[in-house]
Every structure is written in C-alpha cells, then in structure tokens.
C-alpha cells in the first residue's frame, strides 16, 4: 500500500486568526491551504467565506499552530496582498483600542481602513467616470467586468462571481481599483469645485512692457496708497509667479477699494486663480518668519521637558504664535528623516493651517480626512507606507501606516471633535495619540488656548510638561470683552430682533472702518421650535423626542438627529388653530434679519447646512479672507483654527445657551467656545472687541472670559468636579441601551444593570431616561459607571460590561437590545 494520505493533515502554524470588518466579538480562525503558507502573514488581506454565502476581505491578525477546540475552520479562499498593508504597531494599537474602548477588533478595523481597502459581498461596484474606454491594459477577466459595467449601472460581488464563473473574485476587483477602472459606490460624494484665490496682474500695455510702468506711476501720483500698492506689486512680482490680493493688502497696508480704483485706471486686473488641493504642491515654498523671544523661550522649554517626558502641553493664548513653534519642531523632525503627524479637530475647517504649512514644507505634506474620496485615501495610505514626512489629518489619520513616527502634534487638544461618538470605537484622538506615540517611542505636543480640564490637571500633577505663552504675537493686546445685558436691553426696548443696540452699533462702526466681523450662535437653522399660540402644541419629530427645526432656505421642518423632514402644517393638529409661530433663533435667522439692519453689508453663513459639499467650507473661508464677505455668521465652526487679519468685532449672540446644558462639562465648553471665538478678533493690526449678549450677566464664567483668566476658571471648576466626584478625579463610562420597544428595553436593561450592580455596587448610577428619551425610533436608557482612578478596577469593570452584554444577548428575547459603551465620554 502507498504512503498516500486519505485525509489532508494540517501541520502546525497553518491556521490564521483573521479580523472581519464586522462587529463580531473576536477574530475568526481559518486554515491556510498549503500553497498559501509561505505568503500568509499578519497584516495582509485574504478572501474568506463567513456563513453559507457571504464573502469578506479579512485582515490576518495572528498565525496559529492549532485552531480553538471544537471548531472546524474553513479554508482561506485567496490572498489579496503580497505584502502587509498593516504592520505590527498598528495591530497593537487596534488591540489596545478594542480593549480600552470596549469594542470588537472588527469595529476598529472598520474605522481604521479606508473603504477602498475593505470589501464584502454587499459592496456595490460602478465604473469610474475617469475610465477612458482604453481596454488595452486589461487582462481578459478584467475586460469582462469593465464591459459588463459599461452595460449596467452597477454590479455586486455576487454578479461578478456569476460573470466570471468563479468564487474568488476579490484579488481581481482590487486590481481594477488599483487601475482606477472601478469605484466603490460610496466613494462618489459631493461635486468637485476648484479652489480659487484672488490675484492681481498688470493690464496691457504694462504687462508686456515694464518700461511703461513710469506712466502707471504718474497715474497714481495723486494717491499715496495707490503708489504704495504699485510699488508692492513690483516687489512681490520679482519673487513670485503671481501676486495675491492678500499679499498686497499686507505689504502696502491697503484695502480692496484701492485695488478697485487702480482697476478703473486700467493699471491692475483683478482675477481669480485656480489652485490645486490634491497632489503636488505647485506653488513656491516661502521662508518662515523669525521666532520671537517668547517663542524661542517656549521652544527651549518644550525641548527641555522632552528630555524626561513624552508629552508636553503648550498652553498659549489665542494668537500667541503656537503654529510657528509647531513648524520649528516639524522641521527638526523631518531633517532627521522622521515622520510627523499633525492632528486637527476638523480638517475641513482648517484650510488656513494646511495652506500655511504647505507654503513652508511644500510637497512633504499629505492631508488625510473624511471628505477625500476612497481612492484618494488609499493612495495616501500607500504614500505614508513609503515614509511621507508630514501628515495633517483629522482623528482618523491616527490609523495610517507610519514607518518612523517620532512627533505627534495635537492642535486644539480640547476640541470635542477629537471624540468619536458613533459608531464604535468611541475613541478620543488625543488620548489615542498619546498611546500611539508610546508604541513608536515618539513625542507628543498638545496645543491649545483653553486646555481640557483633564489635560491641565495632568500637567499640574507633572504627568505632562507644561509650557505657557501668555502674550499675543507681535505684542497685540487681547481683545476687549464687553458683556451686554439682554434682559435690560429688552426692558428698555432697545433690542432689534435678537441684536442688542451695542452689538449693532459696533458692527456699523466696524464696517465704516473697513473691518470685518464674526457672529457666533451655536444653533443652526432658522428657528428651533414651531409652536401653537393657543394650546402650546409643538411640532416634534416622528422618530425622535425633539422639536423640529424650521429651515427657511428649504421652507420645511427638519430633525437634526435623524434627518426627518416635513412641510409646515397649515393648522395645529391638536386644536385646529392656524396661529402657529416659530420661536428661538439659529444662524439662518441671524443671517436673514441682520441684512435688514445692515442692508449694505455682505453677509454669509458657515454651519453644517452651508458646508455640505466637498469644498464649500474652503470657499467661504477664502471669500472671507479676500474680503468678499463683511460679516460671517456661524456655529462653533467659526471658532476653530481661523486666522483673519481684518476682524475687528466678534459677537456671541446667546451666551446663556452655551452654559445651560444639563451636563457637568457645560461651563467648560462655554468657556472654551467663548474664549476661542473671542480670539478671532484683532489678531494682526490692532486690538479687537468682543460683544457677548447674555441674560445672566453675573455668571462666573463670563467674568473669567472677560479677563481671559483660565487659571481662575480652572481652580473654581476643578473644585466643583472634586466635590461631586467627576473627571479628572474619577473615571466615567457611559452605557446606552437601545430598542424600538420600550417594554423590551426596560426588561433588558434590568438584566444588564443587575449584573453590574451586583459586582460594582455604588459605582453604578442608573438606569435612567436621558434628556432625549428617543432617537431614530429607538428608545434609550443610560447607565453611568463612576470609577476611581485605579487601572485594575477599570479593567475589571470593562470585562464585566462585556460579560453583561454577552449575557443579555444570550437571554431569549433580548438579542435585539443594542448596548453602546462610551469610555471617557465628553
């Protein structure tokens, strides 16, 4: 008899634990066919089958010698990558996030990888709009799929399997993605609009013959400002390919009226120049400004702390020149061949910082954020693998495959946008960045004018280094802050709609001086409530327990939680009365009514409704920079990362609203937002002014904002937190349970809560109905865990949460109750 084996025998080390891009509790195990053993390794993607029909591109997590007892692993179907796309450090980060934030590795994978690196049976495939019908570079099977997509609008993975008559199709689809023949349907978001900047050039005949410029100077001889503008133009043109309006404004000390007058004299031509957002940086790299003595001192202190600490907090007032220090540290890092990660709270709102750094570092910078197409994100992923020196990004940039990361800058570290709320992992990018730096043995710089209380407490306790900058760049004074009593103005009938007489007077005078203004109202839409004046009925969302907001632009009512929309009712459904009124005000109403009182002002709005398209935010900011907008009305978007030369007035229309939320952090958020938006005033030329409208003018936070006294605010707030056992003295975990049936939710929550209560006792608070009891058709209940700052207790509580979640899902009838865990909620 021959030595042939009748059943295949798997040798040790031929099993792979893989992460599937779905929320399953742990990795699955598959066996590796003998022909793949030499190639399969952690970090590569493989095609696997889950259940009877579903296919996934899974990521290899570990190589195992034996499968788990009692399991019969299926084989890996095909290998997608020849080299890992995720390295060991990234897998360590994923593992830590999964454990710390109480979620599955699959949920971390979904957040970490661009959609172009993930695929499943449900993925919809469409032909790329950029495919030019050149089939010469395609193999036979690739040609079949491209041709099928030409005849049909879209294909599924199942369709591709049927066309090719084969089960393993992912490697082929990824090749088509690489060649940009196909796109994943979810990629195509928004319409592309090029970015333009206002520029100036000479009209003929001066443009062709510079000798004729003497005639131009004769035409400007009666106006000193026009002569200075022409001199500045000649000087800038010698070193740059084109001249920006902004550069002329700065160098010559002029405004747009001077340039318009010179255009009428046929000297200058004003035009918009299109510049690239993606790809190579085509403009000239400029020299950075010299460091001030204050910046030199701060930089020396940071480096001194880095001798024995890995994290330093740079606490500098708004306009103190923190970005210039970042530039110096970045330059030193890249000279050593190191990589730098610069995290911004919302990349979409910080185009100014991106443009400023690109001017200095040029093509060494890559930008990564959620509004990029999936193909762009995959391309950038590969650039980082090749050791791209500098990456600017929002929180998701933490997941990029760095090779030699040595410096992480977290700008505006206090910002709530660094926290992921839904879906899991509900991570804080600041805290995750500090752990990531530990994995790479890198340094972290946290920069802000208004530190989070937890961060400042860590610095005070010596966990982080603390460097403070208390003066603005160039010696510019901090803005004057004026509190206006709305109750008193209302009583004396001096209010004009929602504007106090003081605010309107200051706005009028600022416009007369040629200055710009920013108005802040942290609520979008026209009005938050539609109410019946007879019976008090309020129009609520059918899916959520919140009132619908009226949007005048669309002339309908909208829910800001689930997106539900409906037309305005003609009469009250409760009593039949037609006397329905709107109450309250949002950014849309401010923009609309301000035009009545300032008819000659050019007013624009920046909120979620106006920045939906890919580049709308940049267009608004660019128009404001180029002085095509006089007054910018916005939500907290206008508080972040904006640096304008000509803003004389900042108005906060409803300070009370910021500090009245039923949340222990509401006063902290109020102080941060008002201080940040105040910092937009008077940053370059002269002292600005901030007008804050409030009913409760005696609120202590307003006094601290007036004096820009963070230390006083911190001391008072931290004492209250200590008294009531809140962070930074205790650790918080918020658990939200959801279900569409309130009875099932109530019973399920009792089962879940009992498991925690039995083991954690007084540390558990709740269950309780939250302020908004129902969202998107799901009823909610919340449980809070207040834990002492003890890592062992924290680990024990997290294991208990996972166990309670598992027990609830196993209990008959309660598998549909969703449990969301938020560690360190903000």
């Amino acid at each position: 008899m021959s030595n042939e084996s009748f059943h295949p025998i798997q040798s040790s080390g031929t099993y792979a634990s893989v992460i599937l891009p779905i929320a399953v509790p742990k990795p699955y195990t598959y066996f590796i066919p003998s022909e793949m053993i030499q190639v399969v390794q952690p970090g590569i993607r493989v095609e696997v089958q889950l259940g009877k029909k579903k296919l996934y591109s899974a990521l290899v997590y570990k190589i195992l010698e034996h499968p788990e007892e009692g399991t019969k692993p299926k084989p890996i179907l095909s290998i997608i990558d020849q080299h890992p796309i995720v390295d060991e450090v990234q897998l360590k980060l994923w593992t830590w996030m999964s454990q710390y934030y109480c979620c599955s590795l699959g949920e971390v994978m979904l957040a970490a990888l661009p959609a172009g690196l993930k695929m499943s049976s449900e993925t919809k495939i469409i032909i790329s709009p950029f495919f030019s019908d050149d089939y010469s570079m395609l193999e036979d099977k690739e040609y079949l799929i491209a041709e099928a997509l030409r005849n049909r609008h879209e294909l599924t993975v199942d369709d591709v399997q049927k066309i090719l008559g084969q089960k393993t199709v992912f490697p082929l689809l990824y090749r088509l993605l690489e060649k940009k023949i196909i796109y994943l349907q979810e990629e195509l978001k928004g319409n592309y609009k090029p970015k333009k900047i206002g520029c100036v050039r000479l009209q003929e005949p001066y443009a062709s013959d510079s000798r004729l410029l003497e005639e131009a100077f004769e035409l400007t001889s009666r106006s000193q400002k026009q002569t200075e503008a022409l001199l500045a133009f000649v000087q800038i043109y010698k070193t740059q390919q084109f001249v920006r309006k902004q550069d002329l404004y700065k160098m010559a000390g002029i405004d747009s009226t001077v340039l318009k007058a010179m255009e009428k004299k046929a000297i200058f031509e004003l035009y918009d120049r299109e510049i690239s957002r993606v790809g190579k940086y085509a403009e000239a790299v400029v020299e950075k400004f010299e460091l001030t003595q204050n910046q030199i001192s701060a930089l020396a202190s940071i480096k001194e702390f880095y001798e024995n600490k890995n994290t330093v907090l740079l606490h500098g007032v708004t306009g103190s020149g923190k970005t210039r220090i970042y530039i110096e540290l970045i330059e030193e890092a890249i000279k050593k061949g190191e990589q730098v990660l610069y995290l911004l709270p919302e990349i979409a709102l910080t185009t100014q910082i991106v443009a400023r750094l690109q001017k200095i570092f040029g093509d060494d910078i890559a930008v990564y954020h959620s509004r990029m197409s999936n193909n762009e994100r995959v391309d950038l992923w590969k650039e980082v693998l090749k050791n791209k020196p500098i990456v600017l990004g929002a929180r998701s940039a933490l997941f990029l495959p760095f090779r030699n990361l040595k410096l992480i800058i977290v700008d505006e570290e206090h910002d709530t946008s660094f926290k992921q709320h839904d879906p899991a992992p509900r991570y804080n990018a600041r805290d995750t960045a500090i752990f990531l730096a530990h994995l790479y043995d890198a340094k972290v710089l946290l920069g802000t004018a208004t530190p989070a209380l937890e961060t400042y407490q860590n610095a005070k306790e010596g966990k982080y280094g603390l460097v403070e900058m208390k003066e603005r760049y160039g010696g510019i004074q901090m803005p004057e802050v004026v509190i206006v009593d709305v109750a008193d103005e209302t009583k004396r009938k001096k209010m004009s709609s929602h504007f106090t007489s003081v605010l309107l007077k200051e706005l009028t005078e600022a416009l007369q001086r040629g200055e710009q203004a920013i108005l802040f109202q942290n609520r979008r839409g026209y009005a938050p409530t539609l109410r019946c004046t007879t019976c008090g009925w309020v129009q609520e969302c059918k899916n959520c327990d919140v009132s619908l907001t009226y949007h005048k632009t669309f002339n309908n009512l909208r829910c800001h939680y689930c997106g539900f929309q409906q037309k305005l009712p003609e009469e009250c459904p409760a009593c039949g009365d037609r006397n329905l009124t709107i109450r309250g005000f949002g950014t849309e109403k401010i923009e609309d009514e301000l035009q009545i009182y300032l008819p000659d002002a050019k007013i624009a709005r920046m909120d979620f409704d106006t920045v939906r398209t890919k580049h709308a935010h940049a267009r608004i900011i660019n128009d404001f920079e180029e002085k095509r907008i006089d007054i910018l009305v916005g939500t907290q978007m206008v508080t972040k990362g904006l640096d304008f030369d000509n803003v004389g007035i900042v108005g906060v229309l409803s300070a009370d609203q910021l500090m009245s939320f039923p949340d222990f952090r509401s006063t902290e958020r109020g102080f941060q937002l008002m201080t940040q938006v105040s910092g937009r005033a008077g940053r370059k030329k002269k002292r600005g002014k901030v007008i804050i409208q409030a009913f409760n003018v005696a609120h202590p936070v307003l006094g601290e904002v007036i004096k820009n006294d963070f230390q006083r605010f911190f001391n008072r707030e931290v004492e209250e937190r200590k008294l009531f056992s809140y962070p930074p003295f205790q650790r918080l975990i918020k658990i939200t349970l959801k279900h569409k049936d309130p009875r099932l939710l109530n019973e399920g929550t009792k089962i879940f809560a009992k498991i925690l209560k039995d083991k954690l006792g007084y540390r558990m608070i709740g269950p309780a109905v939250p302020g908004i009891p129902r969202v998107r058709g799901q009823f909610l209940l919340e449980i809070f865990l207040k834990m002492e700052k003890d890592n062992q207790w924290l680990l024990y509580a997290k294991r208990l949460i996972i166990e309670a979640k598992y027990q609830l899902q196993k209990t008959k009838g309660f598998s549909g109750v969703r449990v969301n865990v938020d560690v360190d909620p903000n």
Side-chain angles (χ1 to χ4, degrees), residues 252 344 390 435 444 565 600:
L344 298 158
I390 310 164
F435 183 80
V444 179
Q565 302 176 30
D600 297 327

Side-chain angles (χ1 to χ4, degrees), residues 645-664:
D645 294 358
N646 196 40
V647 175
I649 299 294
V650 166
V652 179
L653 279 95
S654 184
D656 308 273
Q657 186 189 96
L658 298 174
M659 299 174 291
S660 59
F661 288 102
D663 186 312
F664 75 95

Side-chain angles (χ1 to χ4, degrees), residues 663-677:
D663 186 312
F664 75 95
R665 294 187 197 273
S666 62
T667 51
E668 180 184 6
R669 297 285 175 251
F671 178 84
Q672 288 168 344
L673 284 168
M674 283 188 281
T675 302
Q676 289 287 340
V677 77

Side-chain angles (χ1 to χ4, degrees), residues 104-321:
S104 69
L105 277 165
E107 288 170 314
V108 180
M109 178 184 173
L110 279 170
L113 290 185
L117 296 177
K118 298 172 292 194
M119 200 176 284
S120 69
S121 298
E122 290 81 12
T123 302
K124 297 286 176 65
I125 302 146
I126 61 172
I127 196 80
S128 167
F130 305 110
F131 179 48
S132 60
D133 289 339
D134 179 8
Y135 294 96
S136 61
M137 60 178 174
L138 303 182
E139 297 171 7
D140 291 345
K141 290 182 178 180
E142 293 171 348
Y143 170 84
L144 283 173
I145 301 307
E147 188 64 21
L149 283 166
R150 276 285 177 224
N151 298 323
R152 295 167 62 177
H153 178 65
E154 65 180 37
L155 295 175
T156 64
V157 172
D158 189 47
D159 292 333
V160 174
Q161 287 176 311
K162 289 174 182 174
I163 291 167
L164 299 178
Q166 64 184 56
K167 191 173 185 178
T168 58
V169 295
F170 281 7
L172 179 140
L173 291 174
Y174 278 114
R175 287 200 302 274
L176 288 170
L177 274 171
E178 287 273 327
K179 294 175 181 178
K180 295 183 172 58
I181 306 299
I182 63 170
Y183 270 48
L184 305 186
Q185 190 179 52
E186 57 265 31
E187 280 186 1
L188 302 179
K189 296 176 185 173
N191 297 317
Y192 176 76
K193 291 185 181 178
K195 179 180 179 180
K196 295 182 179 181
I197 56 170
C199 294
V200 180
R201 60 190 170 204
L202 291 169
Q203 291 194 37
E204 293 295 349
Y206 313 114
S208 301
D209 190 350
S210 59
R211 289 172 297 181
L212 297 175
L213 277 174
E214 288 184 17
E215 296 177 16
F217 276 109
E218 286 178 17
L219 289 172
T220 65
S221 60
R222 291 188 179 183
S223 170
Q224 185 181 348
K225 286 192 174 182
Q226 289 181 18
T227 302
E228 287 173 353
L230 190 52
L231 283 168
F233 177 89
V234 172
Q235 190 174 343
I236 295 168
Y237 193 68
K238 287 177 183 177
T239 58
Q240 294 183 19
Q241 292 178 343
F242 56 91
V243 178
R244 302 170 189 254
K245 288 181 187 176
Q246 285 297 313
D247 294 340
L248 276 183
Y249 294 150
K250 290 176 185 177
M251 182 172 283
I254 59 167
D255 57 28
S256 59
T257 57
V258 176
L259 295 184
K260 286 175 183 175
M262 295 179 76
E263 188 177 35
K264 285 182 181 177
K265 290 181 179 180
I267 298 170
F268 282 157
E269 179 188 348
L270 308 183
Y271 71 102
D272 285 339
R273 180 185 176 93
E274 187 177 317
I275 61 171
S276 172
R277 298 176 185 281
V278 182
K280 298 291 182 184
Y281 184 72
E283 299 173 44
V285 176
V286 300
E287 291 294 318
K288 56 190 186 296
F289 294 112
E290 290 296 316
L291 290 164
T292 64
Q293 193 55 51
N294 192 25
Q295 289 170 332
I296 291 169
S297 175
L299 192 60
S301 298
I302 290 167
K303 290 178 181 177
E304 189 178 335
F305 274 120
Y306 279 158
E307 294 293 324
N308 49 41
K309 293 184 189 298
N310 290 326
T311 304
V312 174
L313 169 63
L314 177 59
H315 177 205
V317 297
T318 53
S320 59

Side-chain angles (χ1 to χ4, degrees), residues 146 210 344 499 538 627 655 790:
S210 59
L344 298 158
F499 311 107
V538 172
K627 299 184 175 66
D790 181 307

